[in-house]
Amino acid sequence: MLRYASYDIVFQEIPNEVTLVINISRCPNRCKGCHSPHLQKDVGEALDENTLSAWLKKYGSAITCLCFMGGDAEPHEVSRLVAYIRKECGGIKTAWYSGKARLSADFSLLDFDYIKLGAYVERLGGLDSSTTNQRFYRIEKGEMIDSTNIFHKHKHF
């Protein structure tokens, strides 16, 4: 079962969306320079359908997207909860930030609108760095479309 350490409403993790971000604990990736090392521990509360339904009822139309930050220890549980959200709460977009380099071959993309893949590598930077190894994908009809460049700030001279 997934456990969450915290959640918040944010504006930059998924561009052009007001996103309820859920920080999942038990991260197995151990990235050097991780900005949330506390999420490597088994901390927080159980994350289930009742919790998600309560948040979606509480925030309603104030949010346009729900994003799981982590969950790499149980990717199929992330997928299962996203499928539940899609079935029960039709209009909300869904996203997952994973530190893995790729998804397992049997992982279904059909319930996701966005997925970020890639471990954080300090010297390469995060999504806002043009040298990042991380990739941000928009999902359309089960296909991953690399949209990482929307995080790169264009310099105007």
XYZ file of all heavy atoms in Angstrom, residues 105-150:
370
model
N 7.437 -2.749 -18.972
C 6.776 -3.036 -20.245
C 5.272 -3.258 -20.094
O 4.509 -2.956 -21.010
C 7.417 -4.255 -20.893
N 4.820 -3.757 -18.948
C 3.397 -4.041 -18.767
C 2.620 -2.884 -18.135
O 1.466 -3.029 -17.781
C 3.212 -5.314 -17.941
C 3.736 -5.178 -16.515
O 4.588 -4.297 -16.263
O 3.308 -5.960 -15.658
N 3.259 -1.719 -18.025
C 2.619 -0.568 -17.398
C 1.721 0.136 -18.412
O 2.143 0.452 -19.521
C 3.689 0.395 -16.875
C 3.151 1.458 -15.972
C 3.004 1.227 -14.622
C 2.788 2.690 -16.479
C 2.509 2.206 -13.777
C 2.288 3.675 -15.649
C 2.148 3.430 -14.295
N 0.478 0.407 -18.052
C -0.461 1.067 -18.953
C -0.429 2.582 -18.772
O -0.502 3.086 -17.657
C -1.880 0.566 -18.695
O -2.788 1.302 -19.489
N -0.356 3.278 -19.871
C -0.349 4.747 -19.859
C -1.745 5.343 -20.011
O -1.918 6.548 -19.897
C 0.510 5.269 -21.014
C 1.982 4.929 -20.978
C 2.638 5.327 -22.298
C 2.651 5.633 -19.820
N -2.723 4.519 -20.262
C -4.030 5.005 -20.693
C -4.741 5.922 -19.703
O -5.555 6.745 -20.108
C -4.928 3.832 -21.069
C -4.430 3.034 -22.279
C -5.328 1.836 -22.538
C -4.328 3.923 -23.510
N -4.466 5.820 -18.413
C -5.144 6.667 -17.434
C -4.352 7.920 -17.076
O -4.796 8.711 -16.244
C -5.432 5.866 -16.162
C -6.519 4.837 -16.392
O -7.526 5.172 -17.047
O -6.362 3.693 -15.931
N -3.203 8.110 -17.686
C -2.340 9.251 -17.359
C -2.395 10.332 -18.442
O -2.529 10.029 -19.620
C -0.889 8.801 -17.198
C -0.657 7.957 -15.983
C -0.787 6.578 -16.050
C -0.305 8.529 -14.774
C -0.578 5.790 -14.937
C -0.096 7.750 -13.652
C -0.235 6.373 -13.733
N -2.261 11.582 -18.002
C -2.117 12.710 -18.921
C -0.661 13.151 -19.015
O -0.239 13.686 -20.039
C -2.968 13.895 -18.445
C -4.444 13.566 -18.522
O -4.972 13.449 -19.643
O -5.070 13.408 -17.453
N 0.100 12.940 -17.926
C 1.503 13.359 -17.873
C 2.313 12.353 -17.060
O 1.823 11.818 -16.070
C 1.648 14.720 -17.176
C 0.758 15.802 -17.733
C -0.437 16.128 -17.111
C 1.121 16.507 -18.874
C -1.262 17.123 -17.605
C 0.305 17.505 -19.381
C -0.879 17.815 -18.742
O -1.692 18.786 -19.237
N 3.561 12.147 -17.476
C 4.494 11.330 -16.701
C 5.876 11.944 -16.820
O 6.312 12.308 -17.922
C 4.519 9.863 -17.168
C 3.200 9.177 -16.805
C 5.706 9.110 -16.553
C 3.122 7.714 -17.138
N 6.551 12.069 -15.674
C 7.955 12.496 -15.644
C 8.787 11.279 -15.302
O 8.476 10.555 -14.375
C 8.165 13.591 -14.590
C 9.518 14.285 -14.622
C 10.672 13.600 -13.943
C 10.501 13.279 -12.488
N 11.724 12.604 -11.942
N 9.846 11.039 -16.081
C 10.748 9.921 -15.830
C 12.170 10.424 -15.663
O 12.563 11.413 -16.278
C 10.716 8.915 -16.987
C 9.421 8.152 -17.199
C 9.515 7.303 -18.468
C 9.100 7.280 -15.999
N 12.933 9.724 -14.840
C 14.352 10.016 -14.693
C 14.734 10.383 -13.278
O 14.060 11.165 -12.610
N 15.833 9.781 -12.842
C 16.393 10.106 -11.531
C 16.944 11.529 -11.556
O 17.325 12.049 -12.611
C 17.521 9.121 -11.203
N 16.982 12.143 -10.405
C 17.613 13.456 -10.306
C 19.123 13.254 -10.285
O 19.647 12.530 -9.440
C 17.149 14.183 -9.045
C 17.850 15.508 -8.862
C 17.558 16.581 -9.694
C 18.818 15.677 -7.878
C 18.204 17.788 -9.545
C 19.467 16.888 -7.722
C 19.158 17.932 -8.566
O 19.805 19.130 -8.413
N 19.814 13.876 -11.221
C 21.275 13.858 -11.275
C 21.728 15.290 -11.056
O 21.495 16.156 -11.907
C 21.798 13.303 -12.621
C 23.321 13.350 -12.672
C 21.290 11.890 -12.851
N 22.344 15.519 -9.904
C 22.692 16.878 -9.468
C 23.399 17.688 -10.552
O 23.024 18.818 -10.838
C 23.595 16.768 -8.230
C 23.164 17.645 -7.108
C 23.985 17.408 -5.842
O 24.701 16.400 -5.713
O 23.881 18.281 -4.973
N 24.416 17.128 -11.164
C 25.222 17.888 -12.141
C 24.440 18.207 -13.425
O 24.802 19.114 -14.167
C 26.526 17.172 -12.448
C 26.380 15.857 -13.146
C 27.729 15.171 -13.405
N 27.576 13.798 -13.772
C 27.106 13.364 -14.931
N 26.752 14.223 -15.849
N 26.999 12.069 -15.175
N 23.349 17.469 -13.683
C 22.554 17.710 -14.883
C 21.355 18.621 -14.626
O 20.793 19.187 -15.553
C 22.070 16.377 -15.468
C 23.172 15.410 -15.901
C 22.567 14.096 -16.375
C 24.060 16.027 -16.972
N 20.957 18.722 -13.358
C 19.846 19.592 -12.986
C 18.494 18.941 -13.173
O 18.382 17.812 -13.664
N 17.476 19.660 -12.769
C 16.099 19.193 -12.857
C 15.474 19.516 -14.201
O 16.167 19.884 -15.157
N 14.172 19.418 -14.263
C 13.460 19.633 -15.520
C 13.691 21.011 -16.130
O 13.598 21.164 -17.341
C 11.955 19.415 -15.316
C 11.486 17.965 -15.241
C 10.012 17.910 -14.865
C 11.734 17.243 -16.542
N 13.978 22.003 -15.301
C 14.179 23.359 -15.835
C 15.576 23.570 -16.421
O 15.873 24.631 -16.954
C 13.878 24.410 -14.773
C 14.780 24.305 -13.556
O 15.482 23.280 -13.394
O 14.766 25.256 -12.756
N 16.427 22.559 -16.373
C 17.778 22.643 -16.925
C 17.811 22.048 -18.331
O 17.280 20.961 -18.564
C 18.759 21.882 -16.026
O 20.015 21.757 -16.663
N 18.469 22.720 -19.256
C 18.564 22.198 -20.625
C 19.457 20.962 -20.701
O 19.436 20.246 -21.705
C 19.070 23.277 -21.580
O 20.368 23.697 -21.191
N 20.220 20.677 -19.636
C 21.100 19.501 -19.632
C 20.508 18.329 -18.852
O 21.164 17.303 -18.697
C 22.478 19.859 -19.027
O 22.286 20.313 -17.687
C 23.181 20.918 -19.853
N 19.280 18.456 -18.398
C 18.677 17.416 -17.557
C 18.559 16.069 -18.269
O 18.357 16.017 -19.488
C 17.284 17.838 -17.042
O 16.856 16.906 -16.053
C 16.259 17.918 -18.163
N 18.673 15.023 -17.506
C 18.400 13.671 -18.009
C 16.922 13.319 -17.836
O 16.436 12.363 -18.430
C 19.238 12.636 -17.248
C 18.870 12.618 -15.779
O 19.019 13.629 -15.077
N 18.386 11.498 -15.283
N 16.207 14.100 -17.035
C 14.797 13.824 -16.773
C 13.954 14.220 -17.985
O 14.282 15.161 -18.703
C 14.328 14.588 -15.541
C 15.052 14.168 -14.285
C 14.608 14.966 -13.070
O 14.371 16.165 -13.151
N 14.500 14.290 -11.954
N 12.869 13.495 -18.198
C 11.980 13.765 -19.324
C 10.561 13.909 -18.811
O 10.098 13.124 -17.983
C 12.002 12.639 -20.366
C 13.340 12.157 -20.851
C 14.357 13.158 -21.310
N 13.967 14.104 -22.302
C 14.613 15.285 -22.439
N 15.596 15.622 -21.641
N 14.241 16.113 -23.374
N 9.860 14.883 -19.338
C 8.458 15.123 -19.007
C 7.648 14.813 -20.259
O 7.902 15.363 -21.330
C 8.257 16.584 -18.592
C 6.838 16.918 -18.226
C 6.348 16.643 -16.961
C 5.991 17.517 -19.148
C 5.041 16.953 -16.618
C 4.684 17.832 -18.822
C 4.212 17.547 -17.549
N 6.681 13.899 -20.106
C 5.885 13.461 -21.247
C 4.423 13.827 -21.085
O 3.849 13.681 -20.009
C 5.971 11.938 -21.402
C 7.356 11.430 -21.665
C 8.147 10.962 -20.620
C 7.884 11.423 -22.957
C 9.431 10.484 -20.864
C 9.165 10.953 -23.203
C 9.929 10.489 -22.148
O 11.198 10.039 -22.388
N 3.839 14.270 -22.161
C 2.396 14.412 -22.267
C 1.918 13.099 -22.885
O 2.522 12.594 -23.844
C 2.065 15.607 -23.171
C 0.632 16.032 -23.148
C 0.413 17.296 -23.986
N 0.468 16.981 -25.422
C 1.464 17.327 -26.243
N 2.494 18.006 -25.805
N 1.431 16.994 -27.519
N 0.859 12.532 -22.353
C 0.361 11.257 -22.842
C -0.881 11.521 -23.692
O -1.831 12.155 -23.240
C -0.004 10.300 -21.679
C 1.129 10.216 -20.652
C -0.387 8.932 -22.219
C 2.450 9.746 -21.179
N -0.835 11.061 -24.923
C -1.977 11.189 -25.829
C -2.247 9.833 -26.467
O -1.372 9.291 -27.140
C -1.709 12.234 -26.906
C -1.707 13.649 -26.373
C -1.574 14.687 -27.472
O -1.690 14.342 -28.666
O -1.352 15.849 -27.131
N -3.434 9.290 -26.220
C -3.845 7.998 -26.779
C -2.821 6.900 -26.491
O -2.498 6.097 -27.354
C -4.093 8.126 -28.275
C -5.203 9.097 -28.608
C -5.387 9.255 -30.088
C -6.433 10.326 -30.351
N -6.486 10.743 -31.737
N -2.284 6.916 -25.274
C -1.334 5.891 -24.873
C 0.082 6.091 -25.393
O 0.952 5.257 -25.165
N 0.341 7.197 -26.062
C 1.678 7.502 -26.591
C 2.335 8.594 -25.746
O 1.680 9.554 -25.342
C 1.593 7.978 -28.038
C 1.060 6.935 -28.997
C 2.000 5.753 -29.149
O 3.233 5.953 -29.202
O 1.485 4.616 -29.204
N 3.639 8.429 -25.507
C 4.402 9.407 -24.723
C 5.020 10.438 -25.661
O 5.814 10.084 -26.539
C 5.489 8.691 -23.929
C 4.922 7.707 -22.913
S 6.184 6.712 -22.093
C 6.930 7.949 -21.035
N 4.655 11.712 -25.463
C 5.179 12.799 -26.285
C 6.087 13.643 -25.405
O 5.636 14.254 -24.424
C 4.026 13.647 -26.857
C 3.133 12.752 -27.732
C 4.572 14.843 -27.622
C 1.792 13.328 -28.045
N 7.373 13.668 -25.743
C 8.347 14.401 -24.934
C 8.031 15.893 -24.978
O 8.030 16.516 -26.031
C 9.768 14.139 -25.435
C 10.835 14.636 -24.471
O 10.561 15.581 -23.692
O 11.939 14.084 -24.499
N 7.739 16.452 -23.807
C 7.393 17.870 -23.676
C 8.297 18.566 -22.670
O 7.925 19.597 -22.106
C 5.926 17.998 -23.245
O 5.076 17.368 -24.169
N 9.478 18.021 -22.445
C 10.404 18.547 -21.449
C 10.730 20.019 -21.689
O 10.887 20.800 -20.744
C 11.705 17.717 -21.435
O 11.360 16.336 -21.322
C 12.611 18.115 -20.290
N 10.802 20.418 -22.957
C 11.211 21.791 -23.273
C 10.269 22.854 -22.717
O 10.660 24.022 -22.621
C 11.390 21.960 -24.775
C 10.100 21.765 -25.544
O 9.112 21.242 -25.014
N 10.095 22.167 -26.801
N 9.058 22.506 -22.310
C 8.171 23.537 -21.755
C 8.672 24.041 -20.396
O 8.236 25.085 -19.935
C 6.703 23.066 -21.643
C 6.555 21.893 -20.692
C 6.148 22.720 -22.998
C 5.116 21.462 -20.470
